[in-house]
Amino acid sequence: VSLSGVVLSEVPFLFLSLAALLAAERVWDERDWKPWAALGFMAGFLAHVRLSGAAMTVALVGCLAFERRWRQAAIAGGFSALVFVPHLVRVKLALGTGETRIVEMLEPYGSNPVGGLLSAAAAGVPYYVSELFGRELFRAPGLAGGLLAFAAALAALYGAWRRGFAGARKLAPAFFAVYAAVHLAWPYRSGRYAYPVLPLASLFVFAGLERRGLTIAALLISLCLSAVPVGRVLQASRHRSSPMALGPDRTSAWIREHTPPEAVFAANYDGRLWLLTSRRCLHLPTAGGAEQLGEWLRANRVDFVLAEDLSGYMRRTSAGESRRPLETSELESRLGVDARAFADPAEGTAVYRVR
């Protein structure tokens, strides 16, 4: 449940992006318009799965334009726009603003776009290196994580160079570059954003090792790198009580047993609470709205507030104090200790009755 975002977006995103790349390999020399219309449709649909999927359209049109194949570029770009632009128009008509995630990405860079983007990239690269090689996937200790990332980057660059950039082979590195640039610029950061493109990076890493006659080394490295993530998947699959497989189960059980089905909750992980308890849940205001928290709770007829451990919460890197989530201590200071109806220190949760 806690990884529902990964299940619902990253997996289909990976499947569709790989399908688009394989389809491009097959049709790259075609002159008929139909294969390019289909490929443009696939690229446009990727942006529906995740907005950063628009990187496929940018990369595809850019690669075709680089080869001066203007007709194919126009067909692919046109059919991609035909799929995705209606969504942008609908958002504009419904909300009166641009697509929320596009606005969020561009907002911090209005006054100094070049400097802001460079600063974001300088902070984002070490973050993703640390997340992937030191904390989430490979968990190499200390300096070893940075060295492993550096070695992987060298192998990937060498593999991409030896693989070549002729024809459709330039599309995968172009897509990877645009996708990486988008997520380095976006104010939100999460290690899971790198998951859909890890297979692409691995392709170039192992291609580089194979070109050097290091096939056995590539196999051993693959087994070593996959040991930790595979072990975590097996642990979560075999042990139903594993924290990786469950949310705050004791807290959820208490909510199901001690609150009426029609109760309205407010929480930071509102989607997870609804999935675990079937209680209607609203997203808590950020710190910028803390002064009006009581008024907001009354206006929305909220019955309970759930405070949770926010160590894994996705935060905006450039949002400042006003956009950060409210921590448990802040919620308790505003709601009062007497309002606390339940607490589980082991799960880092507390439930407050407010109405």
PDB file of all heavy atoms in Angstrom, residues 191-222:
ATOM      1  N   GLY A 191      13.675   8.754  -4.745  1.00  0.00           N
ATOM      2  CA  GLY A 191      14.478   7.724  -5.402  1.00  0.00           C
ATOM      3  C   GLY A 191      13.687   6.921  -6.406  1.00  0.00           C
ATOM      4  O   GLY A 191      14.241   6.430  -7.402  1.00  0.00           O
ATOM      5  N   ARG A 192      12.365   6.794  -6.184  1.00  0.00           N
ATOM      6  CA  ARG A 192      11.570   5.973  -7.103  1.00  0.00           C
ATOM      7  C   ARG A 192      11.471   6.581  -8.491  1.00  0.00           C
ATOM      8  O   ARG A 192      11.119   5.880  -9.445  1.00  0.00           O
ATOM      9  CB  ARG A 192      10.181   5.727  -6.521  1.00  0.00           C
ATOM     10  CG  ARG A 192       9.274   6.936  -6.460  1.00  0.00           C
ATOM     11  CD  ARG A 192       7.933   6.554  -5.822  1.00  0.00           C
ATOM     12  NE  ARG A 192       7.002   7.671  -5.728  1.00  0.00           N
ATOM     13  CZ  ARG A 192       6.173   8.026  -6.689  1.00  0.00           C
ATOM     14  NH1 ARG A 192       6.186   7.371  -7.837  1.00  0.00           N
ATOM     15  NH2 ARG A 192       5.341   9.032  -6.519  1.00  0.00           N
ATOM     16  N   TYR A 193      11.752   7.880  -8.633  1.00  0.00           N
ATOM     17  CA  TYR A 193      11.711   8.477  -9.968  1.00  0.00           C
ATOM     18  C   TYR A 193      12.793   7.899 -10.882  1.00  0.00           C
ATOM     19  O   TYR A 193      12.682   7.986 -12.110  1.00  0.00           O
ATOM     20  CB  TYR A 193      11.881   9.991  -9.885  1.00  0.00           C
ATOM     21  CG  TYR A 193      10.724  10.701  -9.232  1.00  0.00           C
ATOM     22  CD1 TYR A 193      10.914  11.858  -8.502  1.00  0.00           C
ATOM     23  CD2 TYR A 193       9.438  10.193  -9.345  1.00  0.00           C
ATOM     24  CE1 TYR A 193       9.855  12.502  -7.890  1.00  0.00           C
ATOM     25  CE2 TYR A 193       8.378  10.826  -8.741  1.00  0.00           C
ATOM     26  CZ  TYR A 193       8.585  11.981  -8.013  1.00  0.00           C
ATOM     27  OH  TYR A 193       7.530  12.602  -7.413  1.00  0.00           O
ATOM     28  N   ALA A 194      13.827   7.337 -10.281  1.00  0.00           N
ATOM     29  CA  ALA A 194      14.903   6.759 -11.096  1.00  0.00           C
ATOM     30  C   ALA A 194      14.608   5.327 -11.514  1.00  0.00           C
ATOM     31  O   ALA A 194      15.240   4.815 -12.436  1.00  0.00           O
ATOM     32  CB  ALA A 194      16.226   6.806 -10.320  1.00  0.00           C
ATOM     33  N   TYR A 195      13.641   4.673 -10.851  1.00  0.00           N
ATOM     34  CA  TYR A 195      13.400   3.267 -11.150  1.00  0.00           C
ATOM     35  C   TYR A 195      13.057   2.984 -12.611  1.00  0.00           C
ATOM     36  O   TYR A 195      13.578   2.031 -13.190  1.00  0.00           O
ATOM     37  CB  TYR A 195      12.274   2.714 -10.257  1.00  0.00           C
ATOM     38  CG  TYR A 195      12.603   2.686  -8.780  1.00  0.00           C
ATOM     39  CD1 TYR A 195      11.610   2.462  -7.838  1.00  0.00           C
ATOM     40  CD2 TYR A 195      13.902   2.893  -8.323  1.00  0.00           C
ATOM     41  CE1 TYR A 195      11.900   2.437  -6.480  1.00  0.00           C
ATOM     42  CE2 TYR A 195      14.195   2.880  -6.971  1.00  0.00           C
ATOM     43  CZ  TYR A 195      13.193   2.654  -6.052  1.00  0.00           C
ATOM     44  OH  TYR A 195      13.473   2.631  -4.718  1.00  0.00           O
ATOM     45  N   PRO A 196      12.175   3.785 -13.263  1.00  0.00           N
ATOM     46  CA  PRO A 196      11.805   3.437 -14.641  1.00  0.00           C
ATOM     47  C   PRO A 196      12.944   3.510 -15.642  1.00  0.00           C
ATOM     48  O   PRO A 196      12.840   2.903 -16.717  1.00  0.00           O
ATOM     49  CB  PRO A 196      10.712   4.473 -14.984  1.00  0.00           C
ATOM     50  CG  PRO A 196      10.199   4.937 -13.683  1.00  0.00           C
ATOM     51  CD  PRO A 196      11.372   4.913 -12.768  1.00  0.00           C
ATOM     52  N   VAL A 197      13.998   4.254 -15.334  1.00  0.00           N
ATOM     53  CA  VAL A 197      15.097   4.366 -16.301  1.00  0.00           C
ATOM     54  C   VAL A 197      16.322   3.558 -15.880  1.00  0.00           C
ATOM     55  O   VAL A 197      17.315   3.532 -16.612  1.00  0.00           O
ATOM     56  CB  VAL A 197      15.496   5.847 -16.528  1.00  0.00           C
ATOM     57  CG1 VAL A 197      14.386   6.597 -17.243  1.00  0.00           C
ATOM     58  CG2 VAL A 197      15.852   6.526 -15.224  1.00  0.00           C
ATOM     59  N   LEU A 198      16.257   2.882 -14.738  1.00  0.00           N
ATOM     60  CA  LEU A 198      17.391   2.034 -14.344  1.00  0.00           C
ATOM     61  C   LEU A 198      17.683   0.936 -15.366  1.00  0.00           C
ATOM     62  O   LEU A 198      18.845   0.661 -15.658  1.00  0.00           O
ATOM     63  CB  LEU A 198      17.140   1.417 -12.966  1.00  0.00           C
ATOM     64  CG  LEU A 198      17.440   2.299 -11.758  1.00  0.00           C
ATOM     65  CD1 LEU A 198      17.120   1.559 -10.475  1.00  0.00           C
ATOM     66  CD2 LEU A 198      18.894   2.741 -11.761  1.00  0.00           C
ATOM     67  N   PRO A 199      16.645   0.269 -15.942  1.00  0.00           N
ATOM     68  CA  PRO A 199      16.953  -0.728 -16.978  1.00  0.00           C
ATOM     69  C   PRO A 199      17.696  -0.139 -18.173  1.00  0.00           C
ATOM     70  O   PRO A 199      18.537  -0.812 -18.776  1.00  0.00           O
ATOM     71  CB  PRO A 199      15.576  -1.266 -17.382  1.00  0.00           C
ATOM     72  CG  PRO A 199      14.729  -1.043 -16.182  1.00  0.00           C
ATOM     73  CD  PRO A 199      15.209   0.252 -15.598  1.00  0.00           C
ATOM     74  N   LEU A 200      17.387   1.126 -18.536  1.00  0.00           N
ATOM     75  CA  LEU A 200      18.102   1.755 -19.648  1.00  0.00           C
ATOM     76  C   LEU A 200      19.567   1.979 -19.286  1.00  0.00           C
ATOM     77  O   LEU A 200      20.467   1.708 -20.087  1.00  0.00           O
ATOM     78  CB  LEU A 200      17.448   3.084 -20.009  1.00  0.00           C
ATOM     79  CG  LEU A 200      16.013   3.025 -20.518  1.00  0.00           C
ATOM     80  CD1 LEU A 200      15.504   4.423 -20.813  1.00  0.00           C
ATOM     81  CD2 LEU A 200      15.928   2.152 -21.754  1.00  0.00           C
ATOM     82  N   ALA A 201      19.800   2.483 -18.065  1.00  0.00           N
ATOM     83  CA  ALA A 201      21.175   2.687 -17.626  1.00  0.00           C
ATOM     84  C   ALA A 201      21.918   1.355 -17.564  1.00  0.00           C
ATOM     85  O   ALA A 201      23.084   1.249 -17.964  1.00  0.00           O
ATOM     86  CB  ALA A 201      21.196   3.380 -16.257  1.00  0.00           C
ATOM     87  N   SER A 202      21.236   0.315 -17.065  1.00  0.00           N
ATOM     88  CA  SER A 202      21.869  -1.008 -16.986  1.00  0.00           C
ATOM     89  C   SER A 202      22.226  -1.529 -18.371  1.00  0.00           C
ATOM     90  O   SER A 202      23.257  -2.183 -18.554  1.00  0.00           O
ATOM     91  CB  SER A 202      20.924  -1.991 -16.287  1.00  0.00           C
ATOM     92  OG  SER A 202      20.603  -1.546 -14.988  1.00  0.00           O
ATOM     93  N   LEU A 203      21.369  -1.230 -19.356  1.00  0.00           N
ATOM     94  CA  LEU A 203      21.658  -1.650 -20.731  1.00  0.00           C
ATOM     95  C   LEU A 203      23.017  -1.139 -21.178  1.00  0.00           C
ATOM     96  O   LEU A 203      23.839  -1.884 -21.725  1.00  0.00           O
ATOM     97  CB  LEU A 203      20.561  -1.126 -21.661  1.00  0.00           C
ATOM     98  CG  LEU A 203      20.857  -1.173 -23.170  1.00  0.00           C
ATOM     99  CD1 LEU A 203      20.898  -2.612 -23.638  1.00  0.00           C
ATOM    100  CD2 LEU A 203      19.806  -0.391 -23.948  1.00  0.00           C
ATOM    101  N   PHE A 204      23.291   0.144 -20.909  1.00  0.00           N
ATOM    102  CA  PHE A 204      24.559   0.722 -21.344  1.00  0.00           C
ATOM    103  C   PHE A 204      25.724   0.227 -20.493  1.00  0.00           C
ATOM    104  O   PHE A 204      26.830   0.033 -20.991  1.00  0.00           O
ATOM    105  CB  PHE A 204      24.474   2.242 -21.303  1.00  0.00           C
ATOM    106  CG  PHE A 204      23.411   2.801 -22.189  1.00  0.00           C
ATOM    107  CD1 PHE A 204      22.428   3.625 -21.695  1.00  0.00           C
ATOM    108  CD2 PHE A 204      23.379   2.474 -23.533  1.00  0.00           C
ATOM    109  CE1 PHE A 204      21.430   4.128 -22.501  1.00  0.00           C
ATOM    110  CE2 PHE A 204      22.389   2.966 -24.361  1.00  0.00           C
ATOM    111  CZ  PHE A 204      21.412   3.793 -23.856  1.00  0.00           C
ATOM    112  N   VAL A 205      25.487   0.018 -19.188  1.00  0.00           N
ATOM    113  CA  VAL A 205      26.556  -0.499 -18.316  1.00  0.00           C
ATOM    114  C   VAL A 205      27.020  -1.865 -18.808  1.00  0.00           C
ATOM    115  O   VAL A 205      28.218  -2.104 -19.010  1.00  0.00           O
ATOM    116  CB  VAL A 205      26.069  -0.594 -16.858  1.00  0.00           C
ATOM    117  CG1 VAL A 205      27.071  -1.365 -16.007  1.00  0.00           C
ATOM    118  CG2 VAL A 205      25.856   0.794 -16.274  1.00  0.00           C
ATOM    119  N   PHE A 206      26.083  -2.772 -19.031  1.00  0.00           N
ATOM    120  CA  PHE A 206      26.450  -4.126 -19.420  1.00  0.00           C
ATOM    121  C   PHE A 206      26.913  -4.191 -20.869  1.00  0.00           C
ATOM    122  O   PHE A 206      27.728  -5.052 -21.227  1.00  0.00           O
ATOM    123  CB  PHE A 206      25.288  -5.075 -19.160  1.00  0.00           C
ATOM    124  CG  PHE A 206      24.951  -5.201 -17.702  1.00  0.00           C
ATOM    125  CD1 PHE A 206      23.679  -4.980 -17.236  1.00  0.00           C
ATOM    126  CD2 PHE A 206      25.949  -5.509 -16.783  1.00  0.00           C
ATOM    127  CE1 PHE A 206      23.390  -5.073 -15.888  1.00  0.00           C
ATOM    128  CE2 PHE A 206      25.674  -5.610 -15.433  1.00  0.00           C
ATOM    129  CZ  PHE A 206      24.385  -5.389 -14.972  1.00  0.00           C
ATOM    130  N   ALA A 207      26.409  -3.286 -21.709  1.00  0.00           N
ATOM    131  CA  ALA A 207      26.926  -3.216 -23.083  1.00  0.00           C
ATOM    132  C   ALA A 207      28.399  -2.826 -23.069  1.00  0.00           C
ATOM    133  O   ALA A 207      29.214  -3.373 -23.817  1.00  0.00           O
ATOM    134  CB  ALA A 207      26.118  -2.214 -23.900  1.00  0.00           C
ATOM    135  N   GLY A 208      28.767  -1.883 -22.180  1.00  0.00           N
ATOM    136  CA  GLY A 208      30.168  -1.477 -22.084  1.00  0.00           C
ATOM    137  C   GLY A 208      31.054  -2.593 -21.581  1.00  0.00           C
ATOM    138  O   GLY A 208      32.154  -2.828 -22.100  1.00  0.00           O
ATOM    139  N   LEU A 209      30.576  -3.340 -20.576  1.00  0.00           N
ATOM    140  CA  LEU A 209      31.374  -4.453 -20.058  1.00  0.00           C
ATOM    141  C   LEU A 209      31.515  -5.557 -21.100  1.00  0.00           C
ATOM    142  O   LEU A 209      32.578  -6.165 -21.243  1.00  0.00           O
ATOM    143  CB  LEU A 209      30.719  -5.001 -18.788  1.00  0.00           C
ATOM    144  CG  LEU A 209      30.755  -4.074 -17.568  1.00  0.00           C
ATOM    145  CD1 LEU A 209      29.878  -4.627 -16.459  1.00  0.00           C
ATOM    146  CD2 LEU A 209      32.194  -3.888 -17.071  1.00  0.00           C
ATOM    147  N   GLU A 210      30.434  -5.818 -21.848  1.00  0.00           N
ATOM    148  CA  GLU A 210      30.487  -6.864 -22.858  1.00  0.00           C
ATOM    149  C   GLU A 210      31.465  -6.504 -23.973  1.00  0.00           C
ATOM    150  O   GLU A 210      32.206  -7.363 -24.468  1.00  0.00           O
ATOM    151  CB  GLU A 210      29.092  -7.079 -23.435  1.00  0.00           C
ATOM    152  CG  GLU A 210      29.035  -8.214 -24.449  1.00  0.00           C
ATOM    153  CD  GLU A 210      27.660  -8.352 -25.073  1.00  0.00           C
ATOM    154  OE1 GLU A 210      26.877  -7.392 -24.998  1.00  0.00           O
ATOM    155  OE2 GLU A 210      27.379  -9.419 -25.649  1.00  0.00           O
ATOM    156  N   ARG A 211      31.489  -5.230 -24.348  1.00  0.00           N
ATOM    157  CA  ARG A 211      32.392  -4.797 -25.410  1.00  0.00           C
ATOM    158  C   ARG A 211      33.853  -4.982 -25.006  1.00  0.00           C
ATOM    159  O   ARG A 211      34.719  -5.141 -25.849  1.00  0.00           O
ATOM    160  CB  ARG A 211      32.144  -3.325 -25.748  1.00  0.00           C
ATOM    161  CG  ARG A 211      30.785  -3.060 -26.395  1.00  0.00           C
ATOM    162  CD  ARG A 211      30.753  -3.492 -27.831  1.00  0.00           C
ATOM    163  NE  ARG A 211      29.486  -3.168 -28.473  1.00  0.00           N
ATOM    164  CZ  ARG A 211      29.249  -3.321 -29.776  1.00  0.00           C
ATOM    165  NH1 ARG A 211      30.204  -3.782 -30.548  1.00  0.00           N
ATOM    166  NH2 ARG A 211      28.077  -3.029 -30.272  1.00  0.00           N
ATOM    167  N   ARG A 212      34.103  -4.947 -23.725  1.00  0.00           N
ATOM    168  CA  ARG A 212      35.472  -5.143 -23.237  1.00  0.00           C
ATOM    169  C   ARG A 212      35.766  -6.599 -22.941  1.00  0.00           C
ATOM    170  O   ARG A 212      36.804  -6.927 -22.368  1.00  0.00           O
ATOM    171  CB  ARG A 212      35.699  -4.316 -21.970  1.00  0.00           C
ATOM    172  CG  ARG A 212      35.576  -2.817 -22.159  1.00  0.00           C
ATOM    173  CD  ARG A 212      36.627  -2.268 -23.085  1.00  0.00           C
ATOM    174  NE  ARG A 212      37.975  -2.452 -22.551  1.00  0.00           N
ATOM    175  CZ  ARG A 212      39.099  -2.146 -23.194  1.00  0.00           C
ATOM    176  NH1 ARG A 212      39.027  -1.663 -24.427  1.00  0.00           N
ATOM    177  NH2 ARG A 212      40.264  -2.329 -22.639  1.00  0.00           N
ATOM    178  N   GLY A 213      34.856  -7.496 -23.327  1.00  0.00           N
ATOM    179  CA  GLY A 213      35.068  -8.910 -23.086  1.00  0.00           C
ATOM    180  C   GLY A 213      34.896  -9.303 -21.633  1.00  0.00           C
ATOM    181  O   GLY A 213      35.464 -10.306 -21.185  1.00  0.00           O
ATOM    182  N   LEU A 214      34.118  -8.549 -20.893  1.00  0.00           N
ATOM    183  CA  LEU A 214      33.940  -8.794 -19.465  1.00  0.00           C
ATOM    184  C   LEU A 214      32.539  -9.333 -19.178  1.00  0.00           C
ATOM    185  O   LEU A 214      31.867  -8.899 -18.252  1.00  0.00           O
ATOM    186  CB  LEU A 214      34.182  -7.500 -18.681  1.00  0.00           C
ATOM    187  CG  LEU A 214      35.578  -6.884 -18.823  1.00  0.00           C
ATOM    188  CD1 LEU A 214      35.650  -5.540 -18.115  1.00  0.00           C
ATOM    189  CD2 LEU A 214      36.630  -7.836 -18.265  1.00  0.00           C
ATOM    190  N   THR A 215      32.101 -10.304 -19.981  1.00  0.00           N
ATOM    191  CA  THR A 215      30.753 -10.832 -19.821  1.00  0.00           C
ATOM    192  C   THR A 215      30.569 -11.482 -18.460  1.00  0.00           C
ATOM    193  O   THR A 215      29.544 -11.297 -17.791  1.00  0.00           O
ATOM    194  CB  THR A 215      30.453 -11.851 -20.930  1.00  0.00           C
ATOM    195  OG1 THR A 215      30.702 -11.241 -22.203  1.00  0.00           O
ATOM    196  CG2 THR A 215      29.019 -12.329 -20.861  1.00  0.00           C
ATOM    197  N   ILE A 216      31.543 -12.279 -18.025  1.00  0.00           N
ATOM    198  CA  ILE A 216      31.452 -12.938 -16.721  1.00  0.00           C
ATOM    199  C   ILE A 216      31.422 -11.893 -15.607  1.00  0.00           C
ATOM    200  O   ILE A 216      30.656 -12.003 -14.644  1.00  0.00           O
ATOM    201  CB  ILE A 216      32.626 -13.912 -16.515  1.00  0.00           C
ATOM    202  CG1 ILE A 216      32.629 -14.981 -17.612  1.00  0.00           C
ATOM    203  CG2 ILE A 216      32.526 -14.569 -15.140  1.00  0.00           C
ATOM    204  CD1 ILE A 216      31.358 -15.815 -17.648  1.00  0.00           C
ATOM    205  N   ALA A 217      32.257 -10.859 -15.768  1.00  0.00           N
ATOM    206  CA  ALA A 217      32.258  -9.786 -14.767  1.00  0.00           C
ATOM    207  C   ALA A 217      30.898  -9.097 -14.717  1.00  0.00           C
ATOM    208  O   ALA A 217      30.397  -8.762 -13.641  1.00  0.00           O
ATOM    209  CB  ALA A 217      33.353  -8.766 -15.097  1.00  0.00           C
ATOM    210  N   ALA A 218      30.291  -8.902 -15.894  1.00  0.00           N
ATOM    211  CA  ALA A 218      28.971  -8.272 -15.931  1.00  0.00           C
ATOM    212  C   ALA A 218      27.938  -9.130 -15.200  1.00  0.00           C
ATOM    213  O   ALA A 218      27.090  -8.619 -14.459  1.00  0.00           O
ATOM    214  CB  ALA A 218      28.535  -8.052 -17.375  1.00  0.00           C
ATOM    215  N   LEU A 219      28.020 -10.443 -15.386  1.00  0.00           N
ATOM    216  CA  LEU A 219      27.098 -11.350 -14.712  1.00  0.00           C
ATOM    217  C   LEU A 219      27.283 -11.286 -13.197  1.00  0.00           C
ATOM    218  O   LEU A 219      26.304 -11.206 -12.441  1.00  0.00           O
ATOM    219  CB  LEU A 219      27.310 -12.777 -15.218  1.00  0.00           C
ATOM    220  CG  LEU A 219      26.472 -13.872 -14.536  1.00  0.00           C
ATOM    221  CD1 LEU A 219      24.987 -13.605 -14.754  1.00  0.00           C
ATOM    222  CD2 LEU A 219      26.857 -15.244 -15.076  1.00  0.00           C
ATOM    223  N   LEU A 220      28.529 -11.317 -12.751  1.00  0.00           N
ATOM    224  CA  LEU A 220      28.792 -11.268 -11.312  1.00  0.00           C
ATOM    225  C   LEU A 220      28.342  -9.939 -10.709  1.00  0.00           C
ATOM    226  O   LEU A 220      27.755  -9.898  -9.618  1.00  0.00           O
ATOM    227  CB  LEU A 220      30.284 -11.488 -11.056  1.00  0.00           C
ATOM    228  CG  LEU A 220      30.811 -12.890 -11.388  1.00  0.00           C
ATOM    229  CD1 LEU A 220      32.328 -12.941 -11.204  1.00  0.00           C
ATOM    230  CD2 LEU A 220      30.131 -13.941 -10.514  1.00  0.00           C
ATOM    231  N   ILE A 221      28.625  -8.844 -11.412  1.00  0.00           N
ATOM    232  CA  ILE A 221      28.208  -7.533 -10.915  1.00  0.00           C
ATOM    233  C   ILE A 221      26.683  -7.467 -10.826  1.00  0.00           C
ATOM    234  O   ILE A 221      26.113  -6.954  -9.859  1.00  0.00           O
ATOM    235  CB  ILE A 221      28.750  -6.417 -11.828  1.00  0.00           C
ATOM    236  CG1 ILE A 221      30.274  -6.322 -11.675  1.00  0.00           C
ATOM    237  CG2 ILE A 221      28.110  -5.076 -11.488  1.00  0.00           C
ATOM    238  CD1 ILE A 221      30.919  -5.376 -12.650  1.00  0.00           C
ATOM    239  N   SER A 222      26.008  -8.016 -11.857  1.00  0.00           N
ATOM    240  CA  SER A 222      24.549  -8.008 -11.862  1.00  0.00           C
ATOM    241  C   SER A 222      24.001  -8.776 -10.664  1.00  0.00           C
ATOM    242  O   SER A 222      23.074  -8.325  -9.984  1.00  0.00           O
ATOM    243  CB  SER A 222      24.027  -8.626 -13.165  1.00  0.00           C
ATOM    244  OG  SER A 222      22.631  -8.703 -13.160  1.00  0.00           O
TER     245      SER A 222
END
